[in-house]
Amino acid sequence: MENYAIIKATIGYLKQEPKFTGEAADEALFGMIVKLLERSSDEWYYIETNYNYRGYIHESQIEICGEDTLKWDREANHTINFGIVDVLKEPKFQSYPIFQLTRGAVVKLSGRVSENWAEILFPAGNSGWIRKDFIMNRIRPEDRLSEEVLRENVVKTALSYLGTQYRWGGKSPLGIDCSGLCSISYLMNGVIIYRDAKLKEEFNMRSISREEMKPGDLMYWPGHVAMYIGNDKYIHSTGASSGVVINSLNPKDIDYREDLANISEIGTVF
C-alpha cells in the first residue's frame, strides 16, 4: 500500500532540494494529503501532492498516519475560507491561540459546537476552536459545480487574495505567486489544474481564442499566468507589483500593463 501523510504545519514548504535553504517548489496547506515517494534523508521526504506536484518536505511538517491518513481525508469536509485564522484553546475570544490556519487549509470537525464556534481536530488527535464564519464546506472534484457557479466562485476566490504579498512558490494569504493564486483558486472550488505557469491539457485545461475568453479563464505568458475577471481586467500575483493586483488589457486604462499586452495563450477548463 502506498504511504501517505497529512500536512500538520500551517504551511508545508516543498523544496527543490532536501534542505531548508533550498529553492521553494510549492506550498501544501494544513490538512492536505501528500504521498510519500521516498525518504531522502533522516529528516526529509520526497513527496507528491494530490495535484501531482513533487518536492521535498521536512518531517516536522507532516503527520504520518498510515491507513488513517485516507480516512482523515474522507472525513475532513471543511475548508478555511478566511485569510488567516487563529485556532483557540477554548470557544471564546478571551482564550488564547494555539495554532494558525490560512485560507485553503483543510479541516476536520469533531462535531462539537459552542454558539458560533466549532471544534476542529488536529492529525495528532488534539483539538482547538475556530469561528464557524471562517469555514465552508469542502468542494471536491466529484462535486462538479455548474459552469456559471464555478466561474463566479474562482474569480471571487482569487479576489480574496488581493493585496497579498508576492512569494515565490507561495500559495497562501501569507504570500503567493502567480500560479499559486490561480491553482489554489481552482483547487478550493474542486478543480485541479497544473501548479505552474503552463497550459497542460492533461490537467483539464484547453486552449481557446481571446474572443472566447470569459471570467475565470487563465491567461499565459512565458513564466507567468493570470486570471481574467471580466471587463478587460485580470488579477495576478506579480513581483513587479510586489503582490496580488488587478491590471487591465485596455491601453486606455491607468492600470494597463504594456509588457503583458501580448498574451501567449489562453486556457479554460470549460
Side-chain angles (χ1 to χ4, degrees), residues 131-148:
R131 297 287 288 181
K132 292 180 181 178
D133 298 345
F134 297 156
I135 58 174
M136 70 177 194
N137 291 331
R138 182 181 176 188
I139 304 172
R140 300 176 186 264
E142 57 268 26
D143 292 331
R144 297 193 176 278
L145 302 177
S146 69
E147 177 176 344
E148 181 181 1

Side-chain angles (χ1 to χ4, degrees), residues 211-259:
E211 291 71 31
E212 297 174 277
M213 184 169 64
K214 297 178 181 179
D217 291 334
L218 302 184
M219 306 155 56
Y220 294 88
W221 299 263
H224 190 56
V225 60
M227 180 183 294
Y228 184 64
I229 61 175
N231 298 318
D232 289 332
K233 303 288 185 179
Y234 58 93
I235 186 171
H236 58 151
S237 185
T238 167
S241 300
S242 300
V244 181
V245 295
I246 293 174
N247 285 111
S248 176
L249 295 169
N250 189 338
K252 296 180 181 179
D253 290 340
I254 193 171
D255 53 358
Y256 172 69
R257 281 276 298 267
E258 186 175 0
D259 60 320

Side-chain angles (χ1 to χ4, degrees), residues 1-267:
M1 178 181 174
E2 294 173 311
N3 205 359
Y4 293 85
I6 308 166
I7 302 297
K8 68 176 182 180
T10 303
I11 295 175
Y13 297 99
L14 275 66
K15 298 288 188 176
Q16 301 282 9
E17 303 173 73
K19 57 183 182 180
F20 286 113
T21 55
E23 180 183 337
D26 188 18
E27 292 179 352
L29 307 181
F30 176 89
M32 292 183 174
I33 301 302
V34 295
K35 184 190 299 182
L36 305 179
L37 301 178
E38 65 179 67
R39 186 158 192 160
S40 64
S41 70
D42 289 341
E43 299 180 337
W44 292 84
Y45 286 88
Y46 190 54
I47 62 142
E48 182 179 80
T49 66
N50 69 336
Y51 44 91
N52 299 335
Y53 210 82
R54 295 184 175 187
Y56 294 91
I57 194 167
H58 193 262
E59 64 178 5
S60 63
Q61 299 174 352
I62 57 175
E63 188 78 26
I64 302 173
C65 305
E67 295 184 14
D68 288 339
T69 305
L70 299 183
K71 181 174 184 289
W72 162 281
D73 192 44
R74 290 193 299 270
E75 296 175 350
N77 290 319
H78 292 80
T79 304
I80 299 296
N81 65 355
F82 194 79
I84 301 170
V85 173
D86 285 334
V87 182
L88 302 182
K89 180 64 176 176
E90 298 175 358
K92 57 183 179 180
F93 285 119
Q94 293 82 359
S95 184
Y96 58 92
I98 58 174
F99 201 70
Q100 279 192 326
L101 297 171
T102 67
R103 182 184 295 113
V106 175
V107 294
K108 178 181 177 180
L109 304 186
S110 71
R112 294 180 64 200
V113 296
S114 177
E115 295 184 346
N116 293 320
W117 299 84
E119 186 183 47
I120 69 164
L121 299 175
F122 290 92
N126 51 327
S127 62
W129 294 83
I130 59 175
R131 297 287 288 181
K132 292 180 181 178
D133 298 345
F134 297 156
I135 58 174
M136 70 177 194
N137 291 331
R138 182 181 176 188
I139 304 172
R140 300 176 186 264
E142 57 268 26
D143 292 331
R144 297 193 176 278
L145 302 177
S146 69
E147 177 176 344
E148 181 181 1
V149 171
L150 181 56
R151 286 189 184 277
E152 181 180 346
N153 280 7
V154 294
V155 169
K156 183 179 179 180
T157 302
L159 289 172
S160 71
Y161 290 88
L162 199 60
T164 300
Q165 70 167 339
Y166 182 86
R167 176 186 288 177
W168 181 266
K171 203 165 64 185
S172 85
L174 295 172
I176 201 164
D177 66 10
C178 64
S179 57
L181 173 67
C182 293
S183 63
I184 192 65
S185 295
Y186 270 93
L187 188 62
M188 285 188 65
N189 289 287
V191 177
I192 294 173
I193 64 172
Y194 190 53
R195 166 63 172 91
D196 285 345
K198 295 178 183 177
L199 192 159
K200 287 201 170 187
E201 292 187 356
E202 60 266 37
F203 282 82
N204 307 307
M205 189 74 63
R206 64 183 179 87
S207 183
I208 59 172
S209 67
R210 184 160 175 173
E211 291 71 31
E212 297 174 277
M213 184 169 64
K214 297 178 181 179
D217 291 334
L218 302 184
M219 306 155 56
Y220 294 88
W221 299 263
H224 190 56
V225 60
M227 180 183 294
Y228 184 64
I229 61 175
N231 298 318
D232 289 332
K233 303 288 185 179
Y234 58 93
I235 186 171
H236 58 151
S237 185
T238 167
S241 300
S242 300
V244 181
V245 295
I246 293 174
N247 285 111
S248 176
L249 295 169
N250 189 338
K252 296 180 181 179
D253 290 340
I254 193 171
D255 53 358
Y256 172 69
R257 281 276 298 267
E258 186 175 0
D259 60 320
L260 296 178
N262 297 316
I263 306 168
S264 300
E265 202 165 15
I266 297 169

